[in-house]
Amino acid sequence: MQVEVRLFSGLEELVSGARYGQPLYIDISSGMTVGELLNRLGIPLNKIFSVILNGRHAEQNQVLEPGDRVALFPPLAGG
């Protein structure tokens, strides 16, 4: 089972082989949550501000399904 992950705004630098906004296909196990996916990718939870799952905001306890599309964004600053 796989999910598509896209990393933005510097998060791609934390994951080997990832490129800004480009799909990265990750094998998942049944029942894996967004938080467990972040752990597998080696992304600290405090580096994530927003998780978008299939176009909707998701929490880290959301269970992933095969074919899901996950976009990850860090906290942003600026004005």
Side-chain angles (χ1 to χ4, degrees), residues 2 15-16 23-25 29 33 36 40 42 54 57 62 65 68:
Q2 285 189 331
V15 179
S16 178
L24 183 67
Y25 297 95
S29 56
T33 65
E36 291 168 334
R40 174 184 263 176
N54 300 322
H57 177 74
Q62 176 77 39
E65 298 291 334
D68 278 348

Side-chain angles (χ1 to χ4, degrees), residues 1-5 24-41 53-54 62-70:
M1 301 189 315
Q2 285 189 331
V3 294
E4 175 188 299
V5 178
L24 183 67
Y25 297 95
I26 305 296
D27 291 320
I28 64 166
S29 56
S30 180
M32 180 177 272
T33 65
V34 169
E36 291 168 334
L37 174 66
L38 296 174
N39 186 46
R40 174 184 263 176
L41 293 172
L53 177 61
N54 300 322
Q62 176 77 39
V63 175
L64 297 167
E65 298 291 334
D68 278 348
R69 293 170 291 121
V70 181

Side-chain angles (χ1 to χ4, degrees), residues 7-21 43 72:
L7 305 166
F8 296 92
S9 301
L11 291 176
E12 70 279 0
E13 296 172 9
L14 301 175
V15 179
S16 178
R19 294 175 53 193
Y20 179 89
I43 300 174
L72 303 171

Side-chain angles (χ1 to χ4, degrees), residues 1 3 6 10 12 15 21 24 38 43 45-46 49 51 55-56 58 60-61 65-67 71-73 75-78:
M1 301 189 315
V3 294
R6 293 178 188 245
E12 70 279 0
V15 179
L24 183 67
L38 296 174
I43 300 174
L45 298 180
N46 67 345
F49 175 74
V51 176
R56 300 182 131 180
Q60 292 179 10
N61 63 353
E65 298 291 334
L72 303 171
F73 298 89
L76 301 175

